[in-house]
Amino acid sequence: MENRKYDCPKCRDTGFILFDDGTGHSYAQPCKCREIKEAKERLARSGLAKEFKAKTFENYRTGGKPQLEDAKRRIRQYTELFHEIKNNRFNSVILSGQVGAGKTHLGTACSVCLIEKGIPVVYMGYREEITNLKSKIMNEQAYSIAVNRFKNASVLFIDDFLKGRLTESDVNIVYEIVNYRYNNNLPFIISTEKTLGGLIDFDEAIGSRLIELSRGWIIVFKGEELNYRLYGGDK
Ligand SMILES: [Zn+2]
């Protein structure tokens, strides 16, 4: 027997798995680990790898606040049940509410946890990526490559969704991504300072789709006492 340890025992790190087509011929299919590897590399390229390591469930400090304890427990549960719920209609997460409640921290912990389970998650820092997409809008090919990454991601984590001033082209891009994923039942993890009403006010079609997809997994942070940053949470 082979004693060597592979990162991926399924394909023995070749990136391909051979299947028998039933007639004695074999054919190769890309192994899932390729997507995971790409997700990890993207994470590293995004410059967030270090931050991502620091934002785990373990170091999400709740300060004993029931609301934060509950948020952490539910997001953890989402990651544990993900394989069952990913194909359901309600397969997404919204972390909504005030600055400083640790929304980004929980969204990140959730993403890392899913990546570790072998589910590729694409990170989209909202403000930066929208600006980047807008800069490519005149170049159809470059735009479509960039936007497809977010449209087709197995799971898309949009951090600080709708932050900043919104223009009409922002709305169009957001709609393109949300609508495509909605139609293809692809999960989101969303952190946003917008309230649920604020999401609907921004755009009813987009807001209502996201809220529908996240039914059962919407966490709204409310109340001054939740200022997570005050007791040593993330930025
Ligand atoms: Zn593999």
Side-chain angles (χ1 to χ4, degrees), residues 83-136:
H83 281 295
E84 292 166 42
I85 60 180
K86 67 179 179 203
N87 298 318
N88 293 352
R89 195 59 186 139
F90 315 129
N91 59 11
S92 300
V93 167
I94 295 177
L95 298 155
S96 142
Q98 64 183 63
V99 183
K103 299 185 297 293
T104 295
H105 189 132
L106 275 186
T108 303
C110 183
S111 302
V112 171
C113 190
L114 292 180
I115 289 174
E116 280 166 358
K117 284 175 191 281
I119 299 138
V121 181
V122 169
Y123 172 82
M124 177 181 180
Y126 174 78
R127 206 56 253 157
E128 193 188 332
E129 296 295 352
I130 283 286
T131 306
N132 181 35
L133 287 168
K134 279 195 289 191
S135 75
K136 294 190 161 73

Side-chain angles (χ1 to χ4, degrees), residues 134-154:
K134 279 195 289 191
S135 75
K136 294 190 161 73
I137 220 150
M138 301 306 284
N139 179 337
E140 208 178 306
Q141 200 193 359
Y143 175 79
S144 114
I145 290 170
V147 81
N148 281 340
R149 216 181 101 200
F150 302 127
K151 282 160 79 173
N152 292 308
S154 294

